[in-house]
Amino acid sequence: MNKAELVADVAERMSDSKMKAEEAVNAVFDAITAALKNGDEVRLPTFGVFVVSQTAERKARNPQTGEEVIVPAGRRARFRPGKALKDQLN
């Protein structure tokens, strides 16, 4: 599912226009992004948790040339699914 399909699905579930649904989807994405930028967790009961994790600098290899490159340390967004979501998937 891509963003356009997500917006269409949300619009259908809300019985509203795609324009309103896109505003809602964008607002949720913006809120999650802002919280993660601040280093906060975003906990959605029964769905899961979005967290920011710190990664260390590491060496990697360019698959085309075989050349070693350094991947800098950074912050990465991670998602841990909740129990209810896991149960629905299995």
Side-chain angles (χ1 to χ4, degrees):
M1 175 181 281
N2 60 30
K3 185 177 176 185
E5 293 168 338
L6 177 63
V7 167
D9 191 11
V10 170
E12 186 178 314
R13 290 170 190 260
M14 290 174 46
S15 300
D16 210 340
S17 69
K18 287 185 180 180
M19 189 181 218
K20 292 276 188 185
E22 185 171 13
E23 287 177 18
V25 168
N26 287 337
V28 169
F29 289 159
D30 290 345
I32 291 172
T33 301
L36 293 176
K37 278 184 177 179
N38 291 334
D40 298 332
E41 289 185 352
V42 178
R43 292 184 172 275
L44 305 171
T46 71
F47 187 71
V49 181
F50 293 93
V51 295
V52 175
S53 65
Q54 200 66 28
T55 60
E57 184 177 276
R58 63 185 174 89
K59 291 181 184 178
R61 194 168 297 279
N62 182 332
Q64 291 181 338
T65 64
E67 176 187 0
E68 247 186 29
V69 293
I70 302 294
V71 177
R75 297 179 343 152
R76 306 285 185 261
R78 302 280 189 239
F79 176 73
R80 293 190 314 244
K83 183 178 182 330
L85 179 59
K86 287 182 194 176
D87 290 346
Q88 286 184 358
L89 295 176
N90 291 323

